[in-house]
Amino acid sequence: MADSAYWNPKNETLPRADLHRLQLGKLRRLATWAYANSPFHRSRWDAAGFHPEQLATLDDLRRIPFMTREEWMASIAEMPLFGDLPTSSATNAIRYHLTSGTSGRTPIRVLDSMKDWEWIAEMWCYGLWGFGVRPEDCVYIAFGYGQFIGFWGLHYACEKIGALVIPGGAQTTEARVKMIMEMGATTVASTPTYALRLWQQAAEMGIDLAKDSKVNKLILSGEPAGSIPAVKRQLEHAWGAKCGDTAGMTEVGTIMIFECERQPGGTHIIEDHYIEEVIDPVSGSPVGYGELGERVVTSFGRGLIPVLRYRTKDMVVKVPAATCGCGRTGDLYDGGIRGRWDDMKLIRGTNVYPSAVEAIVREYDAIDEFQIYLWRNDIRDEITIKIELKPGREAEWPLLGDELARALSLAHENLRFLVELMEPGNLPRFELKARRLVDARPVAAYQA
Ligand SMILES: [Zn+2]
């Protein structure tokens, strides 16, 4: 198998017709299991007039009602700790995890069985192997190892592959850089933001990661920025390494998509383990290849928490498998995950995602804090990025401001961004997940 480019050579290259047959079989089994064992699904499906026996073709998937985070949260609130979604009690679980918990939102609590956990690692294996991680690799995992599920699955996947794992929990950034150098790590797993931070820290320590380290692969996850070309180019240059994007979610426990070694500008969907639909987030009807829409996930892997037709609010553009020349028959998301539907703002016809703006702003080490401020100038929507600089870095303005405005514009179909330097201490500070967007446009006009 070491010669193969694929973790699962058979399934990753299945002709689409066979793949669909496999998906239908798995869907029937999953729906039957969920109906019999998850009160959450049974009551919602009964109310919607759906029964697993109605799944005659793959298109019948659309008879299953969408599942939303709100419904899941409501069931957890009514029946603490886990709601009525789990198919079995917590005594049969071996792991407990949480979503990362955006401020103001209660995190979702999830449970996994041993079998689930084995599958979670298996999904990461598809992505790691597909990006070239092999037994001889030494993988440093820049991750806190807390209750947030994050890179836990990646950790076990590396073990499964036979790579040497260095768990980088509870270390300072400086200690992490030292460890990467000392152990001769060849692969680093990190969020895009943190990969930049590690590089900046290394530079301050007089280390040029591109020249001095053995790192040749970065496995990125956790933020849409991993597929933003500008961020990726910068990271690849800074580290002298290839950057492979992946994306997962706590709700399914692991990754659904990964970038292969060909780096086609998109991420393959692991279609033998998921059905990924793309819909119009307003009407709920399916959209075609090449159209921006919300991804809806059905996961065949998790038994304790079955997720069917879950509205993710992630915005994606699906393109056919043939877009990539690697031979995989799984379709791709061009540009990975573009952002989140509930976060997206429309400014003069251009979609702006705060996460994408943040990814660019964070490239500038001199910036201490920022805010995305939307306002209306007469009849025109404007977007201003308010900036506070780190003490002692004021001399970098206004050059930095010009550069930032240009970079933001370039990443947004030439939309004009205004930048404004603020006096230190004026912008709000956040401890965990930040809310850095203020929309000051008149609501009525905005809706029109
Ligand atoms: Zn490929």
Side-chain angles (χ1 to χ4, degrees):
M1 191 177 77
D3 312 316
S4 174
Y6 317 109
W7 175 253
N8 184 334
K10 178 167 178 278
N11 281 6
E12 289 185 73
T13 56
L14 267 189
R16 303 266 324 154
D18 295 341
L19 181 61
H20 290 152
R21 249 192 305 279
L22 177 69
Q23 287 179 322
L24 179 60
K26 287 190 174 192
L27 178 64
R28 283 181 178 148
R29 206 162 61 221
L30 173 71
T32 305
W33 164 260
Y35 190 79
N37 298 291
S38 166
F40 176 89
H41 285 307
R42 190 168 52 245
S43 60
R44 288 166 55 257
W45 293 356
D46 281 343
F50 169 74
H51 190 277
E53 283 173 4
Q54 294 167 356
L55 296 169
T57 71
L58 214 45
D59 285 341
D60 292 323
L61 171 71
R62 291 194 209 124
R63 293 168 177 257
I64 303 176
F66 289 125
M67 169 182 172
T68 65
R69 184 191 169 96
E70 290 70 27
E71 289 169 314
W72 192 345
M73 295 303 309
S75 109
I76 289 174
E78 267 171 47
M79 278 163 276
L81 294 167
F82 302 99
D84 60 353
L85 179 60
T87 53
S88 169
S89 77
T91 54
N92 292 318
I94 58 142
R95 287 292 282 264
Y96 167 68
H97 281 286
L98 295 169
T99 47
S100 58
T102 309
S103 64
R105 285 209 299 193
T106 316
I108 284 183
R109 302 185 192 98
V110 292
L111 292 172
D112 286 295
S113 67
M114 193 64 225
K115 186 162 165 275
D116 294 340
W117 206 255
E118 167 64 23
W119 173 79
I120 283 168
E122 179 74 6
M123 293 303 92
W124 273 105
C125 283
Y126 274 64
L128 292 170
W129 190 271
F131 199 64
V133 175
R134 294 293 180 271
E136 52 272 26
D137 275 304
C138 172
V139 185
Y140 182 88
I141 306 174
F143 173 58
Y145 289 86
Q147 284 164 11
F148 172 47
I149 206 160
F151 283 121
W152 275 107
L154 175 139
H155 176 109
Y156 290 108
C158 287
E159 291 185 352
K160 207 167 160 173
I161 285 171
L164 177 60
V165 173
I166 310 173
Q171 284 185 304
T172 62
T173 304
E174 188 178 357
R176 283 176 164 154
V177 171
K178 280 186 186 159
M179 189 69 80
I180 288 165
M181 297 302 297
E182 187 183 307
M183 292 298 296
T186 59
T187 304
V188 171
S190 164
T191 63
T193 303
Y194 196 71
L196 276 171
R197 174 106 188 274
L198 282 166
W199 166 65
Q200 284 160 354
Q201 178 68 44
E204 282 169 31
M205 294 159 69
I207 297 167
D208 179 350
L209 287 173
K211 286 206 189 85
D212 307 335
S213 85
K214 289 189 180 161
V215 178
N216 55 37
K217 291 178 288 296
L218 288 180
I219 305 294
L220 304 175
S221 207
E223 296 163 354
S227 277
I228 295 175
V231 175
K232 195 171 198 156
R233 267 198 308 275
Q234 188 185 350
L235 278 174
E236 295 199 321
H237 180 72
W239 283 78
K242 294 195 306 170
C243 290
D245 193 22
T246 66
M249 57 201 302
T250 307
E251 289 93 326
V252 301
T254 182
I255 57 167
M256 306 78 50
I257 56 175
F258 68 91
E259 195 172 17
C260 71
E261 277 189 280
R262 297 262 180 141
Q263 296 190 284
T267 43
H268 285 284
I269 302 165
I270 307 175
E271 289 195 87
D272 53 329
H273 289 275
Y274 296 97
I275 296 176
E276 286 268 336
E277 301 169 78
V278 185
I279 62 162
D280 179 319
V282 179
S283 70
S285 41
V287 305
Y289 281 137
E291 288 179 64
L292 186 72
E294 179 188 351
R295 48 175 287 266
V296 174
V297 62
T298 296
S299 154
F300 299 133
R302 235 184 197 170
L304 239 163
I305 292 182
V307 165
L308 292 97
R309 298 203 88 203
Y310 182 68
R311 298 278 302 252
T312 66
K313 298 186 178 174
D314 287 336
M315 297 300 281
V316 290
V317 175
K318 196 190 267 187
V319 292
T323 309
C324 183
C326 71
R328 285 180 180 80
T329 49
D331 285 344
L332 298 101
Y333 285 139
D334 180 61
I337 291 181
R338 305 284 186 103
R340 290 182 57 77
W341 156 246
D342 48 355
D343 291 344
M344 189 190 79
K345 297 288 174 181
L346 194 65
I347 310 292
R348 301 202 297 274
T350 299
N351 294 332
V352 176
Y353 292 99
S355 53
V357 170
E358 166 152 20
I360 295 171
V361 171
R362 289 297 182 205
E363 292 178 33
Y364 298 85
D365 175 53
I367 295 174
D368 192 26
E369 190 51 81
F370 74 99
Q371 185 180 71
I372 304 166
Y373 188 79
L374 308 179
W375 55 290
R376 180 153 294 171
N377 182 5
D378 196 6
I379 55 160
R380 195 174 55 201
D381 288 338
E382 296 284 2
I383 180 164
T384 298
I385 311 299
K386 299 184 177 184
I387 300 287
E388 284 182 20
L389 294 176
K390 288 178 182 162
R393 306 290 291 266
E394 296 82 2
E396 296 176 39
W397 200 267
L399 194 64
L400 186 154
D402 293 344
E403 267 182 41
L404 174 63
R406 204 161 36 237
L408 286 166
S409 175
L410 201 66
H412 292 87
E413 301 169 346
N414 294 322
L415 176 71
R416 185 182 52 180
F417 281 72
L418 306 171
V419 291
E420 185 181 342
L421 183 63
M422 308 287 289
E423 288 295 320
N426 276 295
L427 296 177
R429 258 66 178 174
F430 304 91
E431 280 192 358
L432 278 170
K433 290 234 170 179
R435 298 299 298 168
R436 293 194 172 90
L437 184 131
V438 174
D439 192 343
R441 296 174 294 178
V443 174
Y446 177 49
Q447 286 170 339

